[in-house]
Amino acid sequence: MAADFNWAVGGEAGDGIDSTGKIFAQALSRSGRHVFTSKDFASRIRGGYTAYKVRTSVDKVQSVVDRLDVLIALTPRTIEENLEELHEGSVIIYDGERTTMQNVEIPEGMIGIDVPLKRLAEEAGGAIMRNVVALGAACEVAEFPIENLDSALEKRFGDKGQKLVDNNKEAARAGRSYVAEEYDAEFEYDLETTDEDYVLLNGDEAIGMGAIAAGCRFYSGYPITPATDVMTYLTGRLERYGGHVVQAEDELSAINMALGAARGGARAMTATSGPGIDLMTETFGLVATSETPLVICNVMRSGPSTGMPTKQEQGDLNHMLYGGHGEVPRFVLAPTTVDECFWKTVEAFNLAEKYQLPVYLTADLSMAVTEQTFSPDTFDMDAVEVDRGFVVDDASVDEHLSESGGFKPHELTEDGISPRAFPGTVDGAHMSTGLEHDEQGRRTEDTEMRVEQVDKRNRKVETATDREEWSPREFGDEDAENLVITWGSNEGALAEALDLLEEDGIGIRVLSVPYVFPRPDLSDAIEAAEETIVVECNETGQFANLIERDALVRVDRINKYDGVRFKADELAREIKATLETGTEATQ
Amino acid sequence: MSSDVRFTDFKSDKQPTWCPGCGDFGTMNGMMKALAETGNDPDNTFVVAGIGCSGKIGTYMHSYALHGVHGRALPVGTGVKMARPDIEVMVAGGDGDGYSIGAGHFVHAVRRNVDMTYVVMDNRIYGLTKGQASPTSREDFETATTPEGPKQPPVNPHALALASGATFIAQSFSSDALRHQEIIQEAVEHDGFGFVNVYSPCVTFNDVDTYDYFRDSLVDLAEEDHDPSDYDAAKDVILDSDKEYQGVIYRDEESVPYHEQHGVDEDMSDIPDGAPENATDLVREFY
Ligand SMILES: Cc1ncc(C[n+]2csc(CCOP(=O)(O)OP(=O)(O)O)c2C)c(N)n1
Ligand code: SF4
């Protein structure tokens, strides 16, 4: 395994942290290196501290680690915030001429590189480019060819004219030369490049791309962290494919618009996070009883209430499974990796239309904002299939009319799936309602029909459960006696933790579960294991509780709910400790 | 669209359970006639209904329809129209549904100017929940939940609409069948959000805002030399709280509906199998 390199840029919100980080991440991915990014929004101290972290290697990287090799510190707080991850030999690039950085002390054992970022940027054409000067300096430290930064700069500034691109290239070179001339120390890093060809994207973007690939035509949403990126991505792009994005006045409106579009026959989606899911829950029941296909994406953040909006958590599982009054079937898909966000989105649309029900598609904050590199064929558009389910047209509608001639959108069928007629279909006119209804969608309180309709809706779940596809992803040592089960974005950290545990002679079998409902039966795997641990980012162990109920056994749990995602090395330690001592929640 | 569509084609086989004499009968008849008269048929019409006695209208009409949750009918109508610009969309509900729980959506639907017709059956009371004050109830209107009256001024829906940038504002009275139908027809024909507040008396719970009251007090704008394209004249009518009006109060002749402004003209229900042809471009953007 090639050594990986961990890099970060940090400063105040408004310092251009995001774009600086993104340029570097893109330069790396375009150089055939794997990249895994993470973002720190406001943390320990209140205020505008923000950081963009990049972990890179020629091997696949799937998580964050407790290590920082090079840090561009635009404020003293950046150093303070990252002290624990900095180590002997870490390089800190800073601008000693900046008033706030003049008295900054470089912790012992670390290498401070004082570069007059602002001055060099001004010489290259404008102070605003000081972050790019810093990037140039970082390239020198990491022995990363500065030419490889050029195409990322072109991508970033190309729209604004060649002059700006050239100035930025010059700024980067000024940073590099300054370090080369003033510091003749040998740094221990050497970022090799490869011929591999990667794309770099985050979970929200993968969801948006999956939606377009799947033929989504209508999206309505209301901005909320960390789901907004889905809407930002779709805005303008969906229109290129004959669709439309509406920023609604609130989440109640967003889900109702999407419902309307779906009844019109479009593939429709909305995305939100915790508080928005609460608001959508009223209409969720209507979507389900009216048997309208709808994809509702919940990008989870830390709750309850407004909680910690920029922090990680997987706390909404119970809500998605049980939320709403009364009882209605719904599916819950939870992709476990960024690339799976794409494929599960495609699948969510197919499942929604095939089974005519709402599908929750859930990602968590860590996955939503994390960018990762993938080979472009991971998103093979030729493999995308669109299954619109049971739709009648002018010719076939006749087979589903009642004796009096009315269309039967809730026809009682063996598999629970009824015909759909889009508006415009001749003789297909019908009403849908949140009230209990008969086969034609007309209100009823008839006891028999009530039972028949409830059973019909639930039969769809039974029909769906027969699908083989509801299986978990398995990795690690399949014969190991220790079993770890997880869901959501923990998979990457877990995969890397396994390697670390292996070094200690601990073998683990892992099941990562992207289908929460319907879900695979894990009883056999749990029974075969000596010890089972469920890893998740919440306090009460919502997924562990499900597993226990399914298998009628007790499992161990590792729960993290401090707002920070699992790190590979941390998780390895936790698993080891749990295997030694049994359950212990971390916080 | 067939020219031989009759308004009875829009009738469902369910008999209305409205109280005998309820204003909603007349409101509904006018809507069905207006739809037929403007060349629509049940297969190309979508009716979205709110919750309340008024919201039951979706059950009694025959067309593609959705009877939704309380107050959210307008967003549903918006979604239908955006997905299907080829479909005629009509949204109906009560004054509670539209101006109380759904007030936020009302303002935004108005300012979006989605091409649909919004009919509010205003009986100045909550009918279905058996007689509580509604947002349009008079300040001194006594009910079980407001024994001394709401002690708040009623909402002026037309003022709300005008302030929100409405392009079509009208009022009708369900028992003046011909005028009611004409006004709804004009709203249907309007390119944009056609808003009609309909006085639709509740004979069971409201003994103040009765047929007699409206019949005696209504002033028909058509007989008043009112020019609906005159914004200031419309404003004067709307802010005159001493009179009850019927007719088209305001019409913006330049109105461009939301979907046209946003270049949406395709039927979005037509989705081919597989990813769109140029979808690989989407991946390349992340390069
Ligand atoms: C969320 C929610 N809250 C409350 C109700 C109960 N509810 C049903 S109809 C109604 C008021 C209806 O009044 P209005 O819109 O004026 O219609 P009307 O019955 O007078 O025609 C209420 C409060 C409900 N169905 N849903
Ligand atoms: S209660 Fe009033 S509004 Fe409801 S049906 Fe009876 S008369 Fe009509």
Side-chain angles (χ1 to χ4, degrees):
Chain A
M1 203 173 144
D4 58 308
F5 174 78
N6 293 284
W7 173 94
V9 54
E12 295 283 319
D15 276 342
I17 303 299
D18 255 30
S19 73
T20 313
K22 179 106 186 181
I23 289 167
F24 193 57
Q26 254 161 0
L28 291 162
S29 93
R30 285 171 169 224
S31 306
R33 294 185 63 86
H34 273 295
V35 171
F36 188 95
T37 75
S38 58
K39 292 176 195 175
D40 275 359
F41 307 75
S43 70
R44 244 188 305 155
I45 308 164
R46 281 184 67 84
Y49 168 72
T50 119
Y52 189 107
K53 296 185 172 174
V54 175
R55 181 171 168 217
T56 174
S57 171
V58 288
D59 297 323
K60 192 169 171 184
V61 274
Q62 310 181 65
S63 89
V64 284
V65 286
D66 272 327
R67 195 183 160 84
L68 207 44
D69 302 311
V70 172
L71 173 67
I72 297 176
L74 299 177
T75 56
R77 191 195 293 177
T78 308
I79 301 175
E80 201 182 303
E81 288 279 343
N82 293 286
L83 265 186
E84 278 165 31
E85 295 181 6
L86 290 164
H87 55 86
E88 179 110 0
S90 288
V91 172
I92 299 170
I93 297 169
Y94 68 102
D95 183 350
E97 290 179 9
R98 194 175 179 173
T99 353
T100 52
M101 296 300 283
Q102 272 162 4
N103 302 317
V104 76
E105 271 181 40
I106 299 301
E108 222 182 277
M110 296 173 197
I111 306 163
I113 302 225
D114 181 355
V115 185
L117 302 176
K118 187 167 168 231
R119 181 152 52 84
L120 293 177
E122 274 163 357
E123 283 164 22
I128 192 152
M129 296 185 296
R130 67 192 168 123
N131 293 0
V132 176
V133 176
L135 283 179
C139 286
E140 176 64 21
V141 171
E143 279 192 40
F144 181 67
I146 198 132
E147 296 71 32
N148 291 25
L149 202 59
D150 291 348
S151 73
L153 290 171
E154 268 156 29
K155 184 176 167 90
R156 171 82 198 168
F157 300 111
D159 295 351
K160 296 179 185 150
Q162 191 55 41
K163 176 106 173 74
L164 190 64
V165 174
D166 291 342
N167 286 353
N168 272 285
K169 287 182 184 173
E170 200 187 317
R173 279 163 181 73
R176 177 187 63 168
S177 311
Y178 187 87
V179 176
E181 284 156 23
E182 302 291 321
Y183 294 85
D184 54 354
E186 271 291 307
F187 300 104
E188 55 184 301
Y189 311 105
D190 180 7
L191 301 192
E192 32 174 326
T193 60
T194 79
D195 294 335
E196 296 294 333
D197 178 24
Y198 296 129
V199 289
L200 179 74
L201 73 169
N202 69 25
D204 274 349
E205 290 165 335
I207 289 168
M209 189 164 72
I212 295 179
C216 173
R217 289 284 189 278
F218 184 83
Y219 177 93
S220 44
Y222 187 75
I224 185 167
T225 304
T228 310
D229 279 356
V230 177
M231 178 155 63
T232 311
Y233 175 79
L234 288 173
T235 302
R237 285 193 182 78
L238 200 53
E239 280 76 0
R240 295 211 300 257
Y241 296 89
H244 187 66
V245 175
V246 179
Q247 180 176 323
E249 58 272 24
D250 54 34
E251 289 84 353
L252 296 153
S253 176
I255 189 171
N256 277 283
M257 282 183 189
L259 163 67
R263 300 261 17 135
R267 287 198 147 187
M269 176 167 99
T270 180
T272 185
S273 188
I277 286 292
D278 286 355
L279 291 183
M280 289 183 181
T281 303
E282 178 196 33
T283 298
F284 177 84
L286 168 63
V287 175
T289 22
S290 63
E291 303 195 69
T292 306
L294 195 65
V295 178
I296 303 163
C297 174
N298 178 15
V299 186
M300 291 179 287
R301 64 186 209 182
S302 182
S305 192
T306 17
M308 299 197 289
T310 60
K311 298 295 174 186
Q312 161 72 351
E313 203 162 282
Q314 299 174 304
D316 301 347
L317 192 58
N318 286 343
H319 191 124
M320 289 184 286
L321 285 170
Y322 312 117
H325 61 284
E327 301 170 305
V328 278
R330 74 285 301 274
F331 291 172
V332 183
L333 304 190
T336 61
T337 57
V338 168
D339 57 324
E340 205 180 50
C341 285
F342 174 84
W343 289 109
K344 287 286 172 282
T345 305
V346 173
E347 197 176 351
F349 279 99
N350 286 338
L351 289 171
E353 289 207 310
K354 180 146 190 221
Y355 297 95
Q356 299 171 30
L357 41 64
V359 176
Y360 272 123
L361 173 77
T362 187
D364 49 51
L365 181 135
S366 291
M367 185 150 53
V369 303
T370 291
E371 288 146 314
Q372 246 183 292
T373 34
F374 298 94
S375 153
D377 15 288
T378 314
F379 309 99
D380 176 10
M381 294 295 175
D382 291 336
V384 170
E385 279 172 25
V386 171
D387 178 359
R388 306 222 62 198
F390 189 0
V391 181
V392 298
D393 57 18
D394 290 357
S396 57
V397 70
D398 284 359
E399 295 159 37
H400 306 282
L401 302 184
S402 69
E403 277 164 26
S404 58
F407 178 67
K408 296 194 283 189
H410 305 283
E411 192 173 15
L412 297 166
T413 56
E414 218 164 280
D415 59 7
I417 300 168
S418 311
R420 278 203 294 159
F422 298 154
T425 310
V426 176
D427 292 339
H430 64 272
M431 181 167 87
S432 306
T433 170
L435 292 165
E436 193 52 273
H437 44 254
D438 62 12
E439 290 185 283
Q440 288 186 61
R442 300 173 308 186
R443 175 193 193 154
T444 182
E445 286 173 2
D446 178 88
T447 51
E448 255 173 67
M449 187 46 75
R450 158 71 178 176
V451 172
E452 280 186 307
Q453 286 295 336
V454 171
D455 290 347
K456 180 202 110 70
R457 292 191 290 264
N458 278 319
R459 258 197 320 278
K460 295 191 284 190
V461 178
E462 286 157 37
T463 305
T465 311
D466 291 341
R467 283 177 8 122
E468 268 175 36
E469 292 88 327
W470 304 109
S471 49
R473 189 165 29 255
E474 171 159 1
F475 54 95
D477 174 0
E478 65 177 271
D479 300 319
E481 49 188 39
N482 302 313
L483 176 67
V484 175
I485 302 175
T486 190
W487 67 286
S489 72
N490 313 312
E491 180 181 307
L494 200 49
E496 291 194 1
L498 285 200
D499 294 339
L500 299 170
L501 287 165
E502 211 172 49
E503 289 168 18
D504 287 343
I506 301 172
I508 304 270
R509 175 185 183 194
V510 176
L511 295 177
S512 184
V513 186
Y515 299 99
V516 182
F517 189 80
R519 66 181 163 272
D521 184 356
L522 305 178
S523 312
D524 288 349
I526 294 172
E527 214 153 281
E530 188 91 349
E531 184 134 31
T532 300
I533 306 173
V534 175
V535 172
E536 59 191 310
C537 289
N538 57 43
E539 195 268 333
T540 55
Q542 298 179 24
F543 194 67
N545 292 342
L546 284 183
I547 300 295
E548 286 186 341
R549 202 189 63 192
D550 286 356
L552 297 175
V553 291
R554 282 278 174 201
V555 297
D556 278 328
R557 296 137 181 259
I558 295 177
N559 300 91
K560 188 167 158 73
Y561 45 94
D562 58 357
V564 183
R565 69 185 309 153
F566 281 109
K567 290 175 182 161
D569 33 12
E570 170 198 29
L571 193 50
R573 284 195 303 273
E574 290 293 338
I575 290 173
K576 210 172 153 189
T578 308
L579 289 176
E580 279 161 14
T581 63
T583 310
E584 200 176 311
T586 63
Q587 162 51 19
Chain B
M1 253 178 285
S2 44
S3 55
D4 53 358
V5 172
R6 302 188 44 218
F7 91 92
T8 46
D9 293 335
F10 284 97
K11 272 197 168 148
S12 83
D13 52 7
K14 279 268 182 189
Q15 281 307 311
T17 56
W18 287 318
C19 306
C22 173
D24 294 350
F25 286 100
T27 309
M28 179 170 77
N29 280 338
M31 288 164 65
M32 295 193 294
K33 285 180 180 155
L35 281 167
E37 206 58 41
T38 48
N40 294 289
D41 67 44
D43 291 330
N44 86 329
T45 303
F46 202 111
V47 175
V48 188
I51 295 288
C53 294
S54 45
K56 290 182 178 179
I57 195 163
T59 315
Y60 310 141
M61 285 178 69
H62 174 64
S63 72
Y64 284 88
L66 185 100
H67 179 215
V69 292
H70 196 24
R72 322 281 168 221
L74 285 171
V76 175
T78 303
V80 175
K81 190 68 196 183
M82 293 314 290
R84 300 299 299 273
D86 56 319
I87 295 291
E88 187 65 40
V89 178
M90 194 172 264
V91 180
D95 40 305
D97 190 75
Y99 310 142
S100 198
I101 190 166
H105 305 311
F106 176 58
V107 167
H108 293 279
V110 166
R111 80 186 180 97
R112 264 184 210 109
N113 200 30
V114 177
D115 188 16
M116 54 194 184
T117 305
Y118 183 37
V119 178
V120 178
M121 299 175 222
D122 184 0
N123 52 16
R124 299 183 174 173
I125 193 151
Y126 283 8
L128 195 70
T129 47
K130 299 192 164 43
Q132 301 79 25
S134 95
T136 50
S137 294
R138 294 157 189 256
E139 221 167 330
D140 56 358
F141 185 67
E142 293 168 20
T143 73
T145 52
T146 55
E148 295 168 43
K151 295 181 169 175
Q152 311 157 46
V155 160
N156 180 337
H158 297 121
L160 201 54
L162 195 72
S164 306
T167 58
F168 184 97
I169 301 174
Q171 182 143 269
S172 69
F173 175 35
S174 72
S175 100
D176 191 343
L178 206 58
R179 282 295 284 139
H180 167 62
Q181 178 197 329
E182 275 171 11
I183 292 165
I184 300 277
Q185 234 165 279
E186 285 193 54
V188 172
E189 279 163 354
H190 174 69
D191 285 333
F193 190 80
F195 166 50
V196 189
N197 190 70
V198 184
Y199 290 138
S200 190
C202 171
V203 293
T204 307
F205 297 111
N206 193 331
D207 52 9
V208 179
D209 301 291
T210 59
Y211 285 102
D212 283 344
Y213 164 73
F214 285 116
R215 205 173 288 124
D216 293 346
S217 52
L218 269 183
V219 174
D220 197 322
L221 292 172
E223 287 156 18
E224 289 285 295
D225 190 27
H226 173 71
D227 175 6
S229 67
D230 182 340
Y231 185 90
D232 289 327
K235 196 172 68 185
D236 290 344
V237 168
I238 287 171
L239 295 182
D240 180 355
S241 52
D242 294 337
K243 290 200 182 110
E244 307 284 5
Y245 290 96
Q246 72 173 350
V248 177
I249 302 170
Y250 180 65
R251 184 196 295 108
D252 177 357
E253 313 280 355
E254 320 271 88
S255 166
V256 181
Y258 182 92
H259 68 276
E260 279 180 26
Q261 280 182 48
H262 291 263
V264 174
D265 49 14
E266 276 176 59
D267 167 356
M268 293 185 189
S269 71
D270 185 17
I271 298 164
D273 190 17
E277 240 169 62
N278 44 352
T280 37
D281 294 354
L282 294 169
V283 185
R284 279 287 142 210
E285 285 180 50
F286 291 107
Y287 185 53

